[in-house]
Amino acid sequence: MVNYIKNLKSLIFFEEPEKIEEFILKESNDEGKAEIKEAQKDSDRTPELKKRDRSIIKKPMSAASGNDSGEEQGENKEKDSNNKHQPSAVKPRENISTSVEENLRYMKDIFTVPDNGDIVIREFEITFKGKPVKAFIILIDGMTDRTVINSNILHPLMILSDKDFKTGEDDIGEFVKSRLLPHNQMKVTEKYQEVIDEINFGGCGLFVDGSKVAFAADVKGWLARGIERPNTELVLRGPQEGFNEILRANTALVRKILKDEDLIVENAKVGKRSKTPCSILYIKDIANESLVEEVKRRVNSIKLDYIIDSGHLEQLLEDDPYMLAPQIIATERPDRVAAALTDGKIAIIMHGSPFALVLPTTNNDLIHAAEDSYIRFPYANLLRCVRILGVFMSLLLPGLYVAITNYHQEMIPTDLLLAIVSAREKVPFPTVVEILIMEVAFELIREAGIRIPGPIGPTLGIIGALILGQAAVAANIVSPILIIIVAVTGIGSFAIPNFSLAYAFRILRFAYILLGASAGFLGITTGLFLQGVWLTAAKSFGVPFMAPFAPKTSGGFSDEFLRPPFWKQETRPDYVNPRDTRKQPKISRVWTQNNSEGDANE
Amino acid sequence: MQEKIKFGSWEAICLLVAMMGTKVILNYPRVAAELAGTAGWIQTLYIVLLATVAFFFIAKLYSRFEGKDLIDISQYLGGSILRIIIGVFVIAFLLFITVSLLRLFGEQMKTLAYVASPISYILVFFLAGMIVVGYFGLEPLVRFMAILVPVSIGAFLIYLVLLAPFYRAGNLFPAFGNGLDKIFIAGIPRISEVSELLFLFLIPPFIGSQKNFKSVGYISLGMTAFFLTSLTMAYICVVPYPAALESSLPAYDIGRIINYGRFFQRIEPLFIITWATMAFMYLSAAFYFTIYTFQKTFKLEHRQPLVLAFAVLTMTICLLPRSLMENIDLLVNNFRFYSGLMTFGVTILLLLAANMKKRRAEPRKC
């Protein structure tokens, strides 16, 4: 009874709610400090310097001009390395202490032990000149190989150090390095930061009392995907291997194909905090020197905290971020990377990404598939022509349909015109609305097709077929001929081998529909002209995007648009200015010559 | 101030062919038929031959000024005053052809397929192309032209081949049309039909050597002669002389009769794409050079701020003629009679004077 009255009272009278402490994400003390510091730094700079900075960010400089600022960069790099990220509570230190206790304390602070659950610290003693010496190893559980640590590091240090070594070494660091550690990849350093970086990337840090150096052993042992077939670039003929997420596995895949000691795999790190390892690959006596320098300059000058995938790197490296067409090729095929390297191009492989970046890129590269060079040249040329047809259909077909039906009906043969008119008789929308409805529906189905979980995938097919096909026509929302147009457009876009380019065309297609609806062929020609000028003005790492057609370079049409027989592909692309222009001699099939035997012996 | 860009001979040839040959899709064949009757094609050849002779002398005089354009030469000859005088003349010339051709292309498009649309609406599309090129600059334009011109030439040749069944060789007779005097005497001022050769005298800084300059000039004049003559001849062959005087869009009108079977007919809307492409090339190049010359004449550091101002100016002047006929009258009966004076007359006089000054100056140096 009392409860009833209480409830009634609560309905009528206001009662102050109980005070519950809610979670509020507060700003940390450090937040914004960096920006304030940057702003202060910025305010100290003169307007001229600020202007120059802006121009550097917006416009990629040439490698030559970049050399001027190279020293500056070097200085910045030094400053950066001195100013590495450290937790605000820990005072950053540079050189390793000879006291193992001090080192242990510092490492615990740095890795926030014991809060960090996956940090493993193992303390032990080794014997040096008959006396026990304190030591410890530090590693991240899950990223390292336990067996290697046990057999190559702990076992020799703890068991073998007890043996009577006939050595006169006084330095314990030197003793450990040359006598006790049989591990093949061992870094000796005096800097804390280098050990920390190694530990973060699956290494094992070793500190020994009395030694002014620490050791970082490469004992990476995380689980990774194996070498599988590439998902986005399937071929009928040619290698079936694709990159995975492991940097060294990927560089090895390329080396395995090229087998050339002139292939250079330069290391770089991107990301102030993540320090993601990347490799810049090029063949030193083929790739243009200034191009290599420019790529290195751009990669090394990137400043950000974390980088996850080569997709990020691509967006940070490209010349014109606002251009719709991609300016760098992302491929998961090692053979494609290898082929590009032999042409004098450069590849960047990033740890954690199964997509390598190939640059510079021209419009032609985007419609070439890896398979083109493995199959005989007439078949390859047929496929290239089909792809170009696909490109035009994907880009222009809906726009042309709208233009013809709205402005240029006279060019439709009478029978076809009557068929279109009778099919559209009951459709209440104008053609442009009709086509936009279908294109949007198609885009939705395409996007849903990627996001939908596997087991319910077929359902989408049924829904798509019903919406795009029968139901839309039966409901008189669209005409049957439009279904054909949208379907053919979709098929055309699937024929484009580069998925980034296909995205670009999907966007542009809507622009062409609107242009076709607003001014027929004149509108479409306007769009093509503007797009053409834009593409011709674009550059990928200093190479004109429309090369070898605009500007025209030697052998452009025969080598790039169509493909000559393999034995006639004698030169490398002119537009990348390779150091060695010739790929093979004029007569590579020496057996076709009468004196081939003699030549072969020679 | 000057752009540090270079382009090859092929790009320069494409630029000049586009500038001199584009009139073939406008009213040129009818004008030729009007002046010389069935011998319009002979007069066309004669005009280009005259221009070639004039270019021969200009090339000789230019040999001492490798890599210099008209503005540079006038600066050398008469300092800033002469540079500005010549610059203003060139700007006026370029602005006039930009404006009148913009209106003409717009009106042509309106007649072809957009009868219900206001002219200003159609002009906006062309203007968009001109503005974009104004911002992007000459390099992408000439490179893109090097792709578009061969494609346009291919389309033009297909067009001539498709017209083959409709040619009547008898229409070309009487061979000398309205008489030899109409061809050769009245044809002299018509040298202005190729007055767009002036662009060649503006691009030496971009094409470099004198050898390139000469080869670009001769090849582009030869190609222009081929296009103008072949279409004028085709037009006269297809349309008998009296009817040939009636068409306002000769190339388009004869394209309408192309007919191969029941399915392949009325394909002339496809030519709109070629027509519009040629119009874009012509107008954007003329517009760019107007701004470029203005920038160079008045020694301005940047070109970009001029683009929108000139676009507004062009659009405004373009709409001043009350009708298409008034525009054609200005272009055909006035400009095409006197513009040759600018391209050939002023250029030769300027070069003669500059050569004399150089000849006087050189011995002193020795």
Side-chain angles (χ1 to χ4, degrees), chain A residues 485-501:
Chain A
I485 298 285
V486 172
V488 173
T489 307
I491 293 167
S493 72
F494 294 139
I496 300 168
N498 186 290
F499 64 87
S500 294
L501 188 70

Side-chain angles (χ1 to χ4, degrees), chain A residues 365-556:
Chain A
D365 299 329
L366 299 171
I367 52 165
H368 290 179
E371 202 169 28
D372 288 2
S373 59
Y374 305 136
I375 55 176
R376 298 181 65 243
F377 80 97
Y379 318 154
N381 287 336
L382 172 75
L383 292 182
R384 283 189 182 178
C385 291
V386 168
R387 269 182 233 134
I388 287 159
L389 186 69
V391 164
F392 278 102
M393 287 203 308
S394 163
L395 191 64
L396 296 175
L397 192 62
L400 286 174
Y401 176 75
V402 173
I404 291 170
T405 50
N406 281 307
Y407 291 91
H408 314 291
Q409 301 90 345
E410 67 271 26
M411 72 176 294
I412 308 173
T414 317
D415 295 341
L416 184 60
L417 185 66
L418 290 173
I420 294 171
V421 171
S422 63
R424 290 206 70 247
E425 207 174 15
K426 289 179 182 172
V427 178
F429 306 114
T431 319
V432 61
V433 175
E434 200 185 354
I435 208 156
L436 282 174
I437 290 171
M438 288 312 291
E439 283 292 344
V440 170
F442 186 65
E443 289 297 329
L444 279 172
I445 289 169
R446 191 155 25 180
E447 180 59 14
I450 298 169
R451 311 289 159 223
I452 198 165
I456 52 168
T459 326
L460 185 77
I462 297 162
I463 296 168
L466 283 174
I467 291 176
L468 278 182
Q470 214 177 347
V473 175
N476 290 325
I477 290 172
V478 293
S479 59
I481 197 156
L482 202 103
I483 302 286
I484 299 169
I485 298 285
V486 172
V488 173
T489 307
I491 293 167
S493 72
F494 294 139
I496 300 168
N498 186 290
F499 64 87
S500 294
L501 188 70
Y503 279 125
F505 286 172
R506 276 162 71 180
I507 298 168
L508 284 171
R509 188 189 307 147
F510 285 96
Y512 280 105
I513 290 172
L514 296 176
L515 283 168
S518 55
F521 283 168
L522 174 63
I524 286 175
T525 313
T526 308
L528 287 172
F529 184 77
L530 299 185
Q531 192 188 345
V533 171
W534 194 4
L535 290 179
T536 317
K539 284 189 169 71
S540 169
F541 285 80
V543 173
F545 186 72
M546 290 296 277
F549 307 121
K552 197 176 165 294
T553 56
S554 60

Side-chain angles (χ1 to χ4, degrees), chain A residues 351-366:
Chain A
H351 182 79
S353 174
F355 285 90
L357 304 178
V358 176
L359 38 99
T361 295
T362 62
N363 63 329
N364 266 324
D365 299 329
L366 299 171

